[in-house]
Amino acid sequence: MSKNSPRNQLGFATRAIHIGQQPDPLTGAVIPPVYHATTYVQDGIGVSKGYDYTRSGNPTRNGLEQCLADLEGAQAAFTFPSGLAAAATLLEALPAGSSILAHNDLYGGVYRLLADVRPVTAAHNVNFVDFSDEGALRQAILDHKPALLWFETPSNPTLRIVDLSLVAQLGNKAGAITVCDSTFSSPAGQRPIDYGIHVVVHSATKMLNGHSDLLGGVIAVSANAPDNLAERVKYLQNALGSVMSPTDCALLHRSLKTLEIRSVRQSQTALALARNLEQNAKELGLARVIYPGLASHPQHALAADQMINFGCVISVEVEGSLQRVERILTSTRYFHFAVSLGSVESLIQHPYSLTHAVVPEDQKSHLGIGAQLIRISIGLEDREDLEADLVQALMNNRA
């Protein structure tokens, strides 16, 4: 349980199963029907049953958003067709010309949105700094006077950990909105709003869904966020038409029911595999193993303090040539060589050429995202099978 969570509320798994999804009163169906309707009959002028057009509100989407808000400890949550759609909509809440301070270790798609798109379309002044470096962060806030602080923890793909309480404190002092991308963790792994963060965003495609069968994004807004931000996001969601389809809402709501048990199992397996890889790094031809649950991680103590579990992602730096890296990526049996993470099936990918290809070469080098870096997402397969698969791929491709 996070340090600020109320102790008198129902447990996480209970809420994930029941919040926002009551049995259908008409038929008694345990799972209510999916509402595909686009329009709703009005009872009179200004009189309705709460709906008029499904872009503005949909019963299936509303139930999902209620559940997500509850799990994050938020005032409200909103769902979008993708994680980037959620990010783009949130940025619309800022006036043109606003100053944004962003973590320098971000998913490539968000980096592109912040570095290339918004400075042109909205004249946003975007600067990047290492949010895990307190001194650099404090100075950057003084220098740039940001309206918004945007960061990931754990970060993608180097798994840096950002101090949630510190960013919340600095953001409040600066009068800035604080935004945490918690995709790598989910509310089953950490709850940034409990630590004072104003907004949590997710690519719901990843941990929240966990089945590689839908695109989605989430914005969850704290009751302590400034300037009626939740109302503004709701307005923008409708005004921009950036809404998740009813079918995808139903699929995502289904997935939330198993989120906690998936998160726990994936984290336990990831920790065991990371320890094994680190202990045998020399034999396996690994230069380093990165995982917040390892004592060797430079921010392990912070991760242990603010995370409920350490997540499903391990990054490893491979010794040897790019050819060796490619052979490893293509010789696993149970790890599919594919982007994304958090799914029930294990995945392995190459950030340098895939998720972070858009990031400039000098910045990738500075962050340690080299051609030898591999990112591994642990699924729900048996740990022994996953371990044997990784070991054989590494050992059989030593040369």
Side-chain angles (χ1 to χ4, degrees), residues 155-159 184 274 277 286 288-292 294 312-318 349 351 368 372-377:
S155 67
N156 182 4
T158 63
L159 304 178
F184 268 42
L277 293 173
L286 298 176
R288 60 174 175 152
V289 179
I290 309 167
Y291 184 68
L294 294 175
C312 69
V313 177
I314 305 168
S315 291
V316 298
E317 187 177 334
V318 174
Q349 72 107 347
Q372 276 68 38
L373 190 71
I374 290 175
R375 194 189 75 190
I376 303 167
S377 173

Side-chain angles (χ1 to χ4, degrees), residues 232-244:
R232 182 62 177 165
V233 172
K234 182 177 178 62
Y235 173 84
L236 290 168
Q237 181 191 42
N238 182 52
L240 298 172
S242 189
V243 296
M244 184 183 282

Side-chain angles (χ1 to χ4, degrees), residues 267-311:
S267 176
Q268 289 173 343
T269 302
L271 179 58
L273 289 181
R275 285 173 173 166
N276 182 273
L277 293 173
E278 185 175 62
Q279 290 166 4
N280 297 282
K282 185 174 181 180
E283 179 185 0
L284 297 172
L286 298 176
R288 60 174 175 152
V289 179
I290 309 167
Y291 184 68
L294 294 175
S296 60
H297 190 288
Q299 295 145 319
H300 171 67
L302 175 60
D305 179 64
Q306 68 183 28
M307 299 182 74
I308 301 164
N309 62 59
F310 297 113

Side-chain angles (χ1 to χ4, degrees), residues 153-192:
T153 186
S155 67
N156 182 4
T158 63
L159 304 178
R160 286 179 170 86
I161 304 299
V162 175
D163 188 329
L164 294 168
S165 295
L166 174 66
V167 174
Q169 174 193 346
L170 295 177
N172 285 332
K173 185 177 180 181
I177 298 169
T178 51
V179 181
C180 175
D181 185 332
S182 193
T183 296
F184 268 42
S185 190
S186 89
Q190 70 180 9
R191 290 165 209 151

